[in-house]
Amino acid sequence: MAGKVDLDGNAIKPITICMIGAGGFIGSHLCEKLMHETSHKVLAVDVYSDKIKHLLEPATLDWADRIQFHRINIKNDSRLEGLIKMADLTINLAAICTPADYNTRPLDTIYSNFIDALPVVKYCSENGKRLIHFSTCEVYGKTIGAFLPKDSPLRKDPAYYVLKEDTSPCIFGSIEKQRWSYACAKQLIERLIYAEGAENGLEFTIVRPFNWIGPRMDFIPGIDGPSEGVPRVLACFSNNLLRREPLKLVDGGESQRTFIYIKDAIEAVLLMIENPARANGHIFNVGNPNNEVTVRQLAEMMTQVYSKVSGESSIETPTIDVSSKEFYGEGYDDSDKRIPDMTIINKQLGWNPKTSLWDLLESTLTYQHRTYAEAIKQAMSKTTAN
Ligand code: UDP
């Protein structure tokens, strides 16, 4: 990739990146991008490698000498500091970030999002290494608008719901609603990283993803994950569509989300990697404010898109309502609305999301159909035979 320059026209030097959580959904797309389009090296750290095995084998691949997999659990492995020291930049993606876990595995959630991230921050700070830490849009919590009367015209005013990195408050629910324990753990690690920057000069960038979705996200229950497992909404709805069962709308499907295509979001991360002078010391929302829907609208759109890509007509009752208690158990709470403000990332990195919701669903559901339809058919015929 000779001749590649950064946003200020300076040549980009190849660097070594220690990527913790490289085997997950985001990590797999980031590794792919780095191998296909850059000359950077990746020390890929994870406990699983299934989602990146196409990048690791065979040894004849073009980039074989630029990616190394280290099967390490960062909770208890002394090799971590050595890898961070060998790298120029560390990217930490490792964390539990699935709502079904927040109220069923609250301790694991808090540990993975706060305690386990502490040594990573410490090693970066002590060794003078740059850190890109993955946080969440959940740190904003509920919108101010959620507290206005249902019929208040102010609910329509963006000032009451658009989420801005430098001015929006972070509003969490009660302790027994454990989504906010996740949000709180993420917020505290952000504050700690910020403080390391302020007191000890740590060079950091914090990323707040807003519902990044695409191929390889989570798992399809009973196929490449536990049959009783509950992944995030894209995989839940994909699973329902593949099995020709109704999509389950939790508490009426009224919550709103903005979905961004993983490939658009990865472009933003690459800009952060290659433009440290513009990214250091910043917290960036990364989302697509143009792709807002209610969960009910998402279900309707996914049903239509899936019909198109699979060639199968949709079932007679495409959605059913379920209560959150039934679906997630006691202690679940939801975020009402999440619209990212894009001013800071736009100013610093000139980045904007591109892909519409329809287009990103079309490519993602084409992948889901191609990857899982046959396996689901076989699994379902086995169950019927038994
Ligand atoms: N949801 C739903 N049906 C499902 C899975 C999720 O209605 O089968 C809803 C969930 O209650 C939430 C939204 O979809 O309102 C997004 O959930 P997700 O797990 O993707 O993560 P979140 O955006 O809440 O972090």
Side-chain angles (χ1 to χ4, degrees):
M1 299 327 117
K4 231 184 128 192
V5 293
D6 67 15
L7 293 171
D8 298 304
N10 305 309
I12 296 170
K13 288 196 207 95
I15 57 167
T16 299
I17 300 168
C18 172
M19 196 189 299
I20 301 164
F25 163 56
I26 297 175
S28 73
H29 285 274
L30 188 52
C31 285
E32 222 166 56
K33 182 92 173 168
L34 290 165
M35 293 306 112
H36 291 171
E37 293 179 29
T38 77
S39 310
H40 305 306
K41 284 193 176 147
V42 174
L43 308 172
V45 175
D46 209 310
V47 278
Y48 303 110
S49 58
D50 302 10
K51 294 188 190 207
I52 50 170
K53 65 173 188 296
H54 61 296
L55 299 172
L56 302 173
E57 305 152 1
T60 49
L61 289 171
D62 264 4
W63 51 78
D65 62 337
R66 290 197 291 116
I67 184 161
Q68 244 176 43
F69 182 68
H70 297 264
R71 198 172 302 279
I72 285 181
N73 185 338
I74 60 162
K75 267 184 192 307
N76 47 29
D77 202 305
S78 56
R79 286 173 292 175
L80 181 65
E81 185 171 12
L83 292 173
I84 290 176
K85 277 186 180 168
M86 274 165 68
D88 304 287
L89 160 70
T90 292
I91 300 181
N92 190 5
L93 289 152
I96 289 176
C97 53
T98 308
D101 290 327
Y102 305 158
N103 57 323
T104 54
R105 300 168 57 204
L107 284 174
D108 283 343
T109 302
I110 295 170
Y111 270 76
S112 85
N113 282 287
F114 183 67
I115 308 284
D116 301 347
L118 285 176
V120 178
V121 180
K122 183 172 159 246
Y123 297 147
C124 287
S125 189
E126 285 175 357
N127 293 290
K129 301 291 183 176
R130 186 177 171 220
L131 171 66
I132 298 182
H133 184 82
F134 273 71
S135 182
T136 170
C137 58
E138 209 86 293
V139 295
Y140 294 109
K142 298 167 187 265
T143 61
I144 309 173
F147 297 89
L148 293 167
K150 275 253 173 309
D151 55 358
S152 167
L154 290 178
R155 277 186 176 241
K156 298 221 161 60
D157 182 341
Y160 293 90
Y161 60 78
V162 172
L163 303 167
K164 298 186 182 194
E165 297 93 330
D166 50 351
T167 54
S168 292
C170 301
I171 309 170
F172 297 163
S174 66
I175 302 297
E176 59 271 29
K177 303 289 189 210
Q178 297 185 91
R179 178 187 282 268
W180 312 115
S181 303
Y182 165 71
C184 187
K186 280 289 201 209
Q187 189 192 116
L188 190 54
I189 199 76
E190 278 199 19
R191 290 188 186 275
L192 185 110
I193 291 167
Y194 191 89
E196 278 290 349
E199 276 195 39
N200 297 324
L202 172 69
E203 290 182 342
F204 73 86
T205 302
I206 289 171
V207 185
R208 291 182 179 164
F210 280 66
N211 290 83
W212 296 10
I213 63 173
R216 294 198 292 270
M217 185 172 190
D218 297 342
F219 59 89
I220 296 296
I223 303 297
D224 53 6
S227 13
E228 297 312 310
V230 180
R232 283 167 290 182
V233 67
L234 175 86
C236 284
F237 286 175
S238 301
N239 185 38
N240 299 143
L241 291 165
L242 285 154
R243 292 176 192 273
R244 296 186 66 70
E245 55 190 34
L247 280 57
K248 293 181 177 150
L249 298 178
V250 172
D251 294 339
E254 281 171 17
S255 299
Q256 290 166 292
R257 296 286 187 274
T258 48
F259 293 96
I260 178 171
Y261 192 33
I262 182 72
K263 290 185 194 292
D264 288 358
I266 291 295
E267 295 267 348
V269 181
L270 185 59
L271 284 167
M272 293 174 207
I273 294 172
E274 296 190 329
N275 292 275
R278 288 166 175 261
N280 283 346
H282 286 282
I283 299 177
F284 292 118
N285 287 342
V286 180
N288 188 338
N290 308 316
N291 281 349
E292 192 189 30
V293 279
T294 62
V295 173
R296 180 179 291 277
Q297 288 167 330
L298 175 74
E300 288 163 1
M301 201 186 272
M302 283 182 69
T303 304
Q304 275 181 28
V305 173
Y306 191 71
S307 263
K308 184 180 169 200
V309 303
S310 68
E312 295 166 7
S313 58
S314 48
I315 59 172
E316 209 165 297
T317 317
T319 58
I320 49 165
D321 286 315
V322 291
S323 70
S324 54
K325 193 168 164 198
E326 219 178 303
F327 193 78
Y328 289 110
E330 204 64 64
Y332 177 78
D333 199 4
D334 210 342
S335 292
D336 55 310
K337 187 173 172 79
R338 292 182 185 153
I339 301 202
D341 182 83
M342 296 277 93
T343 313
I344 296 185
I345 191 156
N346 199 260
K347 176 166 170 260
Q348 292 303 119
L349 303 172
W351 174 87
N352 277 307
K354 294 184 234 154
T355 314
S356 70
L357 187 54
W358 179 277
D359 288 352
L360 79 84
L361 289 177
E362 195 165 328
S363 50
T364 305
L365 290 179
T366 302
Y367 170 88
Q368 304 288 58
H369 183 67
R370 209 180 330 114
T371 312
Y372 295 109
E374 201 44 51
I376 295 254
K377 239 181 241 156
Q378 281 179 17
M380 287 176 75
S381 65
K382 250 189 223 154
T383 321
T384 324
N386 291 340

